[in-house]
Amino acid sequence: MWPFSKKGISGFSGSSTAEQVTHGIDAIGLTAIVTGASSGIGVETMRVLALRGVHVIVAVRNKVAANDIKEAILKEIPSAKIDVMELDLSSLESVKKFASEFNSSGLPLNILINNAGIMLCPFMLSKDNIELHFATNHLGHFLLTNLLLDTMKKTAHQSKKEGRIVNVSAKAYIFAYPEGIRFDKINDQSSYSKWGAYGQSKLANILHANELARRLKDDGVDIIVNSLHPGIILTNLSRHMSVIDGNYYLVLFSSIHDLSRNY
């Protein structure tokens, strides 16, 4: 059994809700961008940030779905401040367009949550002819972060409030190809593995966060960068998973979790 009810040093456990974790926090005046907030954990992230007073910019491919969710949240939280903008992370052109429009808006940016992603899809290429996992999960977010970084730095400096960048990764980074990130074989269909490709993209999320955190610290910039594993949550991210895939992931994740408790 996974000890979801066992509290860690933070005082929270795997069964703690976002509302519980953020209880008592007044985030009025902060602005956040959340990618992929039209379904799954992105929706709950958006809802709770809005509940705490954050102005949330929802960056999504499906604006219709996002607007429906926005309306539902506004019924629950009339004071919520939510805007929906179009963003397709698998398209570098779309990323550049989104960043340009946001930077031109004059809005501050305190928080960037790189949440959107795909998982275990068949071999496909993005609009830029890059393997789809790597293009969507890593490159799109990597470019987005870089294009928004000056705005985040300016916001942190002027507001005197620490900024936050969060890359939603996964413990599935362990499924990456044995050699790690195969930069010279990103588009090699003949040796493609959906688990390897997904793991590779999640490993890239972690490495990106680690290196960016180091550089910002060295430059004295007041922005914290983290990567996280959100746990196993049943969302439409698993739409490409077979029953066998799901069982394999659950069993292996359970083994990793148990092993980590011994160290």
Side-chain angles (χ1 to χ4, degrees), residues 166-184:
V166 179
N167 285 351
V168 178
S169 182
K171 281 191 175 180
Y173 75 86
I174 66 163
F175 299 132
Y177 297 104
E179 61 269 43
I181 299 176
R182 308 192 310 174
F183 290 106
D184 58 339

Side-chain angles (χ1 to χ4, degrees), residues 126-145:
S126 70
K127 295 175 182 177
D128 302 290
N129 291 316
I130 302 167
E131 190 278 315
L132 199 58
H133 284 98
F134 201 73
T136 304
N137 295 351
H138 172 58
L139 288 182
H141 281 130
F142 179 87
L143 178 61
L144 178 67
T145 302

Side-chain angles (χ1 to χ4, degrees), residues 31-35 57 59 85 87 89 94-105 107-114 140-156 164-165 212 216 221 223:
T31 302
I33 291 175
V34 182
T35 67
I57 310 299
M85 293 178 64
L87 172 64
L89 285 158
S94 177
V95 173
K96 292 175 183 177
K97 182 174 183 292
F98 173 90
S100 176
E101 290 178 355
F102 181 83
N103 288 332
S104 297
S105 72
L107 287 170
L109 183 57
N110 306 91
I111 305 166
L112 172 61
I113 301 180
N114 292 320
H141 281 130
F142 179 87
L143 178 61
L144 178 67
T145 302
N146 281 345
L147 293 177
L148 296 174
L149 200 53
D150 283 344
T151 296
M152 292 201 72
K153 289 178 179 179
K154 181 180 178 181
T155 300
R164 284 285 194 280
I165 298 173
L212 181 57
L216 292 176
V221 178
I223 298 174

Side-chain angles (χ1 to χ4, degrees), residues 49-101:
L49 285 174
L51 178 66
R52 302 307 177 209
V54 178
H55 178 192
V56 184
I57 310 299
V58 183
V60 294
R61 286 185 302 171
N62 190 338
K63 290 182 67 176
V64 174
N67 276 311
D68 288 343
I69 293 167
K70 170 185 174 180
E71 293 306 312
I73 291 175
L74 286 172
K75 289 180 181 178
E76 176 192 351
I77 312 167
S79 62
K81 195 172 183 181
I82 300 171
D83 290 314
V84 177
M85 293 178 64
E86 185 174 358
L87 172 64
D88 179 357
L89 285 158
S90 69
S91 165
L92 298 180
E93 181 181 355
S94 177
V95 173
K96 292 175 183 177
K97 182 174 183 292
F98 173 90
S100 176
E101 290 178 355

Side-chain angles (χ1 to χ4, degrees), residues 7 19 24 37 63 111 143 146 169 172 218 248 255-256:
K7 293 182 178 180
E19 286 195 30
K63 290 182 67 176
I111 305 166
L143 178 61
N146 281 345
S169 182
D218 289 348
Y248 174 65
S255 300
I256 296 167

Side-chain angles (χ1 to χ4, degrees), residues 188-204:
D188 186 0
Q189 185 173 2
S190 64
S191 59
Y192 176 78
S193 159
K194 61 185 179 181
W195 284 100
Y198 178 65
Q200 173 178 252
S201 69
K202 296 290 97 178
L203 175 60

Side-chain angles (χ1 to χ4, degrees), residues 153 156-157 162 212-224:
K153 289 178 179 179
H157 177 72
E162 187 178 75
L212 181 57
R214 184 190 68 78
R215 294 190 183 196
L216 292 176
K217 182 178 180 180
D218 289 348
D219 291 342
V221 178
D222 198 16
I223 298 174
I224 298 297

